[in-house]
Amino acid sequence: MKQGLKVFLILAVLTAVEFAVALLVPSAFLLGLMATAKAGLVIYYYMHIYKLVAEEEITDRESYAYKEGTNRVGLWLFLLSDFFLFAGLLISRFNLLGFTRPHLNQTLGFAVTVMLLVSSYFMNRAETRFKEGDLAGFQANAWITLGLGLAFMLGVVAVEWPLAAAEGLTASGSAAGAIFYLMTGMHAFHVLTGLIFLAIVLRNARHGVFAEGKGWPVEAAAVYWHFVDVVWIFFYPALYLIGTLI
Amino acid sequence: MKTFFNLPIMRGLRWQIFGTAAGGLLVAAIRALMGLEAFGPLLFTEPSWVVGALTGAIAFMFGVGALDDWLKMAAGEAVAEEHHDPPGWQKYFSVSYDHKVIGIQYTAASIILIGTGGLLALIFRTELSRAGLDFLSLQWYNTLMSLHGMIMIVSILVGIAGVMNYLVPMLLGARDMAFPRLNAFGFWVVVPASMLLLGSMALGGVDTGWTGYPPLSVRSPIGIQMFFVGVWVAGWSSILGSLNLLVTVLRLRARGMTSFKMPIFVWAAIAASIISLTATQLISLAFQMVVFERALGMPFFNPDLGGNPILFQHLFWFYSHPVVYVFVLPGLGIISELLPVFVRKPLFGYRWIAMSSLGIALVGFVVWAHHMFTSGMNEYLRVPFMYSTLLVAVPTGVKFFSWVATMWQGRIKVETPMLFVLGGIFVFLLGGLTGPPNATVSTDLHLHDTYFIVGHFHDTMFGGYVFPFFAALYYWFPKATGKRLNERLGKWHFWLMTPSVVGFTLLMMRIGLLGMRRRIADYDPALGFDFTHLLITIFGYLVFISVLIFLYNVYITIKRGEPATGNVWGSRSPEWQVPSPMPPHNYSAEMVVVGEPYDYGRPDAPPYVIFEKQESAQ
Ligand SMILES: [Cu+2]
């Protein structure tokens, strides 16, 4: 079995277990631990963070390979910076709500979470295909990723938001509503930028812009996409699972 | 005149105006369709202004041309590796990718902002020079005082970026920064951001102080929105600039430049960049939350609806404490960099200094709540934050010991840059010694929100940033222009500025101890502070005049200064081993580190770097 699929299956099992844990023993510590484990898997296998420290023997600094390594460091530092934004949102959530949570549609929350996780699997497949030189396979998988990403975003913004508002959780009604819309909104905005980035990369790849080994934008779009997934891995339990209902 | 209006910067500003109008009108149209008021008393309604501020800033970036190459890349077109700047002065008003041009752009912008912030201070200092309200309204006093704070902060961030951009690639032996386009982007966002900050004056002003605490900021005039959006936009300059710097240091060091052979300034730049890369996101978040609370009614900080105003303070200070190290660490780095040159002795304890910069930066992340001892936060937080804050004194002390030991028995050459280095050490010492009383809970409960804090803070900022910044300007001016600034005027500048700074800060501390509250437009004449306030104001004017002397010095030096193209200060640093001014791609040969950076006064020591001509190109 391919590594990408193995990782995906473990993630799927962990997500199911997470949901069960939330139902049976709603321990914030356990849920946090599981989210960290899931994030660790994505960061290592899908975002291949180990490439940052890979021993390089390139001495020519003008070479594409060296510049790609430089770009990689830059991208990861950007993600580190962005991580602080999302960490700030999480801290604000716990500061305002403590171990309570607003009433949300659990089925919908689980469904969009699965969609984003599956999209990460296809993004990884797309990247692998691209590295193997299989442009058609890359395109097919990238399209699936785009579709799932779009479905996730619409699921949150066009379905979940009106549903929550209809049940009385509005942005201006309470701090709980405000932080819910800010967290999901900020995340959805990042999903949108990831979609645009991926769409541009897909278009340029079809036009053969990333010839022979010059595929850094594909890797960048993939790593960024997985990062957005990692953020949701923490946001999902923080919003849907941890704490008692208000 | 025609060329002036055709400059990219002017085009950007025109686009910003159109962009603001377009964004504002769009929101007005949407509001009209929703059956809401489309326009407000200040032309637009508040949501229109917020969106307009953002679209205006984005439009500026399109108009000035900072996005051209990225748009081409996104469209799949090839982008030229080499970028040619227009000749002469025009390149400073256009998008350039050369780190030296960007460094000078940043530095010039910083001086303009410092002048603006200083001018605002002089206006409200004049009002304060005697008791009673004389010519300012309370609202204008608050606006000027708040904007003085924030404009100075932006000017310092921009000045730091200027020095780091100009120097670091040269110190590392690199051709340029790792991401030249990102570098240009980082500079150009500062321009629309500054426009927004200044524009807040036209929209009712800002009456919260630079901290923008809710709930006060939720009730301020619309101007506060321009202030928040302006700071948010300027934040991108910090984040992207520090990212670029870190990548440059990690990837583009010369051969042989291991971590403990880097120039010491680079260590300071790394430490400062770690802070601005990460913590900036939290002030951005805090300000965005107030923007949303005002524009959309999201009650993050409204206790009636479950919000918590203390949360804002935590998020705000998580950035705003460490950022003072972003201000001073590069300044202290400049001090450590220049001292050995002027005393002709090796830098004492190089590794300790390098580690102390990192230490200050890291400890700085866990001290923020010392600004909140009186805020009503959980009381058990006070003591841990008191001790963590006091801990900062240890790595800072390491730097002082190193400087003293470096100077010990050295042959000190007192030229203008060295004067500013010494002045910086002295003034920063005053600021440093007056810090622990504010960090200690028992004394801070008395000192909080008094002029003591204002005096302490201005000593740290002048000593940690302003003096070293001027030292750097006098020191590297010949490198940038091939001409040396006039020594006599430089000494005038120094001897006018230093006693004035020491004078006004000590007087501020004195009346602060006696009970003078900060941030207020008026005070009771019975307190007997009139004369002291008058003196503080006079000293403030003298500082301003001294900076005018500096500007005059720059003007006449560029016009008819004596050429200085060689190693003016007898430095071992790489940038001085080649003639000034530096050509576009820095060194024509590969730089290799073979010795120690600060082996001054050791005749048999090998040079720090040598330049190897490549045998065959490629
Ligand atoms: Cu502080």
Side-chain angles (χ1 to χ4, degrees):
Chain A
M1 202 164 27
K2 286 225 170 110
Q3 191 194 53
L5 189 59
K6 268 190 217 160
V7 174
F8 172 72
L9 288 177
I10 300 172
L11 286 169
V13 171
L14 280 174
T15 307
V17 174
E18 184 183 40
F19 197 73
V21 166
L23 287 175
L24 302 171
V25 261
S27 144
F29 176 73
L30 263 182
L31 289 169
L33 209 63
M34 302 201 59
T36 311
K38 281 166 71 180
L41 284 173
V42 174
I43 289 170
Y44 191 81
Y45 290 106
Y46 285 175
M47 296 167 80
H48 32 71
I49 190 172
Y50 51 84
K51 283 195 186 176
L52 272 180
V53 286
E55 208 52 57
E56 280 175 285
E57 284 155 40
I58 307 150
T59 47
D60 178 13
R61 292 196 173 171
E62 296 302 311
S63 70
Y64 190 84
Y66 194 82
K67 285 182 177 168
E68 190 174 76
T70 304
N71 289 338
R72 193 174 288 127
V73 179
L75 177 66
W76 275 95
L77 285 179
F78 178 76
L79 297 184
L80 175 70
S81 175
D82 225 11
F83 162 80
F84 271 72
L85 169 69
F86 290 111
L89 283 166
L90 273 175
I91 288 166
S92 303
R93 176 247 177 270
F94 284 104
N95 179 283
L96 290 172
L97 304 185
F99 289 102
T100 63
R101 62 183 160 87
H103 178 74
L104 296 165
N105 188 326
Q106 287 294 342
T107 323
L108 190 58
F110 191 72
V112 293
T113 304
V114 170
M115 274 182 219
L116 200 58
L117 208 59
V118 177
S119 84
S120 254
Y121 167 67
F122 281 103
M123 185 72 250
N124 182 252
R125 250 168 78 107
E127 196 195 352
T128 316
R129 292 284 187 278
F130 182 85
K131 294 253 157 83
E132 289 164 355
D134 173 7
L135 204 60
F138 161 72
Q139 285 181 40
N141 285 292
W143 275 113
I144 298 173
T145 311
L146 275 177
L148 286 166
L150 199 63
F152 169 87
M153 200 179 71
L154 292 176
V156 171
V157 176
V159 185
E160 176 70 301
W161 281 12
L163 272 181
E167 296 214 7
L169 188 72
T170 59
S172 55
S174 65
I179 194 73
F180 167 74
Y181 287 98
L182 185 65
M183 286 170 78
T184 48
M186 200 72 90
H187 182 258
F189 176 72
H190 279 75
V191 173
L192 179 67
T193 52
L195 286 173
I196 294 172
F197 189 10
L198 186 57
I200 291 171
V201 167
L202 185 56
R203 178 188 169 278
N204 283 344
R206 274 175 43 183
H207 291 242
V209 176
F210 314 129
E212 286 314 294
K214 298 197 172 183
W216 162 248
V218 175
E219 183 184 329
V223 171
Y224 184 72
W225 187 256
H226 296 306
F227 172 75
V228 173
D229 191 16
V230 167
V231 170
W232 190 253
I233 285 176
F234 288 102
F235 273 25
Y236 170 61
L239 288 170
Y240 286 83
L241 305 180
I242 291 178
T244 49
L245 274 177
I246 293 174
Chain B
M1 215 53 197
K2 200 149 171 269
T3 30
F4 180 71
F5 283 108
N6 285 333
L7 286 172
I9 185 172
M10 298 313 287
R11 194 169 64 229
L13 290 172
R14 281 199 298 276
W15 279 52
Q16 188 177 7
I17 294 169
F18 295 139
T20 309
L25 285 172
L26 180 71
V27 176
I30 295 171
R31 286 175 67 89
L33 288 175
M34 289 168 69
L36 298 165
E37 250 187 310
F39 296 97
L42 290 164
L43 188 63
F44 284 139
T45 56
E46 186 163 326
S48 277
W49 278 117
V50 173
V51 173
L54 209 57
T55 49
I58 297 168
F60 178 94
M61 299 309 283
F62 276 99
V64 80
L67 307 176
D68 288 0
D69 276 4
W70 287 336
L71 292 172
K72 275 190 201 156
M73 285 180 195
E77 291 167 34
V79 172
E81 280 281 317
E82 295 286 322
H83 178 93
H84 294 289
D85 290 333
W89 59 273
Q90 291 190 23
K91 66 170 172 279
Y92 295 105
F93 297 91
S94 325
V95 175
S96 168
Y97 296 152
D98 183 345
H99 76 97
K100 295 182 292 302
V101 175
I102 295 175
I104 290 167
Q105 286 173 327
Y106 264 124
T107 308
S110 166
I111 292 171
I112 292 170
L113 286 170
I114 263 197
T116 314
L119 211 56
L120 301 184
L122 290 190
I123 298 172
F124 73 77
R125 267 321 313 177
T126 309
E127 172 62 60
L128 285 167
S129 57
R130 69 167 189 229
L133 275 184
D134 294 305
F135 65 98
L136 284 180
S137 65
L138 293 175
Q139 183 65 30
W140 267 104
Y141 174 87
N142 288 341
T143 298
L144 293 172
M145 181 269 298
S146 309
L147 286 181
H148 163 69
M150 196 45 97
I151 288 177
M152 283 307 197
I153 286 170
V154 175
S155 98
I156 294 177
L157 288 171
V158 168
I160 294 294
V163 177
M164 296 205 303
N165 251 298
Y166 187 79
L167 286 181
V168 169
M170 291 195 300
L171 295 179
L172 298 177
R175 272 166 64 106
D176 208 313
M177 296 287 270
F179 306 121
R181 291 175 189 86
L182 194 69
N183 204 15
F185 182 92
F187 166 69
W188 285 103
V189 285
V190 171
V191 180
S194 310
M195 291 299 144
L196 288 174
L197 281 177
L198 291 172
S200 68
M201 282 196 268
L203 293 175
V206 178
D207 60 3
T208 59
W210 74 278
T211 51
Y213 276 7
L216 185 55
S217 56
V218 177
R219 297 178 201 143
S220 282
I222 293 181
I224 191 94
Q225 292 281 29
M226 299 297 111
F227 173 88
F228 285 145
V229 179
V231 174
W232 186 83
V233 173
W236 282 108
S237 171
S238 276
I239 293 172
L240 299 174
S242 51
L243 182 154
N244 209 343
L245 184 118
L246 288 171
V247 178
T248 306
V249 175
L250 285 170
R251 301 287 294 177
L252 299 180
R253 293 194 309 274
R255 198 143 47 91
M257 192 182 284
T258 50
S259 37
F260 289 113
K261 284 196 175 177
M262 292 193 295
I264 200 75
F265 177 75
V266 176
W267 274 105
I270 292 173
S273 299
I274 291 172
I275 297 170
S276 38
L277 176 73
T278 55
T280 309
Q281 294 282 3
L282 286 127
I283 192 179
S284 297
L285 176 63
F287 280 9
Q288 279 175 78
M289 285 162 91
V290 186
V291 169
F292 287 132
E293 176 153 356
R294 289 180 60 109
L296 303 172
M298 294 165 87
F300 297 106
F301 307 118
N302 179 356
D304 287 344
L305 295 170
N308 178 12
I310 304 284
L311 170 63
F312 177 91
Q313 299 186 23
H314 281 298
L315 295 173
F316 177 84
W317 288 112
F318 186 82
Y319 167 77
S320 298
H321 180 80
V323 80
V324 297
Y325 302 138
V326 177
F327 304 157
V328 304
L329 283 173
L332 306 184
I334 289 168
I335 293 179
S336 301
E337 186 74 43
L338 300 198
L339 259 189
V341 182
F342 289 95
V343 299
R344 314 308 296 173
K345 272 182 62 198
L347 181 65
F348 186 86
Y350 170 97
R351 281 172 190 237
W352 283 88
I353 296 221
M355 287 300 113
S356 74
S357 291
L358 278 187
I360 292 175
L362 296 182
V363 178
F365 273 104
V366 290
V367 303
W368 75 89
H370 62 223
H371 295 270
M372 299 165 61
F373 288 151
T374 61
S375 70
M377 68 170 179
N378 288 330
E379 223 156 286
Y380 65 83
L381 290 173
R382 283 177 171 180
V383 170
F385 276 104
M386 171 174 104
Y387 281 114
S388 61
T389 304
L390 292 172
L391 195 62
V392 178
V394 176
T396 317
V398 166
K399 288 195 190 291
F400 275 99
F401 283 121
S402 150
W403 295 332
V404 172
T406 305
M407 281 187 278
W408 185 258
Q409 295 186 332
R411 277 175 295 130
I412 301 178
K413 284 196 295 178
V414 186
E415 289 168 290
T416 308
M418 181 60 173
L419 272 180
F420 277 92
V421 165
L422 294 172
I425 294 176
F426 176 66
V427 175
F428 192 69
L429 182 65
L430 287 180
L433 291 177
T434 50
N438 311 329
T440 309
V441 179
S442 49
T443 38
D444 182 62
L445 295 181
H446 174 69
L447 296 171
H448 189 84
D449 258 341
T450 67
Y451 264 55
F452 187 85
I453 307 275
V454 184
H456 155 74
F457 186 72
H458 281 79
D459 267 340
T460 58
M461 288 300 104
F462 270 93
Y465 170 75
V466 178
F467 278 87
F469 180 62
F470 280 120
L473 289 179
Y474 281 100
Y475 184 81
W476 278 290
F477 194 86
K479 193 73 244 164
T481 62
K483 288 172 178 178
R484 182 177 169 167
L485 285 166
N486 183 299
E487 275 288 309
R488 207 158 56 89
L489 285 171
K491 292 203 162 116
W492 269 99
H493 173 193
F494 176 80
W495 286 112
L496 198 55
M497 188 164 106
T498 312
S500 307
V501 170
V502 173
F504 86 71
T505 54
L506 289 181
L507 290 173
M508 278 176 168
M509 289 183 217
R510 182 188 139 74
I511 55 172
L513 281 170
L514 294 173
M516 178 71 206
R517 310 288 297 165
R518 69 168 161 179
R519 292 183 180 152
I520 54 173
D522 195 11
Y523 47 94
D524 189 347
L527 288 166
F529 294 155
D530 282 62
F531 182 63
T532 315
H533 268 300
L534 178 65
L535 281 180
I536 295 174
T537 304
I538 292 170
F539 282 139
Y541 274 90
L542 291 178
V543 172
F544 197 82
I545 291 169
S546 76
V547 177
L548 290 181
I549 295 176
F550 167 76
L551 292 179
Y552 174 70
N553 196 350
V554 170
Y555 170 75
I556 58 153
T557 304
I558 288 174
K559 213 153 176 212
R560 46 167 201 273
E562 43 173 321
T565 52
N567 190 347
V568 185
W569 317 103
S571 168
R572 289 171 59 85
S573 194
E575 78 276 20
W576 291 106
Q577 311 310 317
V578 295
S580 312
M582 207 72 157
H585 287 305
N586 299 349
Y587 310 104
S588 53
E590 197 199 343
M591 177 175 130
V592 184
V593 172
V594 293
E596 295 293 329
Y598 302 105
D599 269 351
Y600 290 97
R602 289 180 182 160
D604 49 340
Y608 176 36
V609 295
I610 55 167
F611 294 95
E612 277 182 359
K613 281 263 176 276
Q614 283 108 319
E615 291 307 313
S616 57
Q618 273 111 50

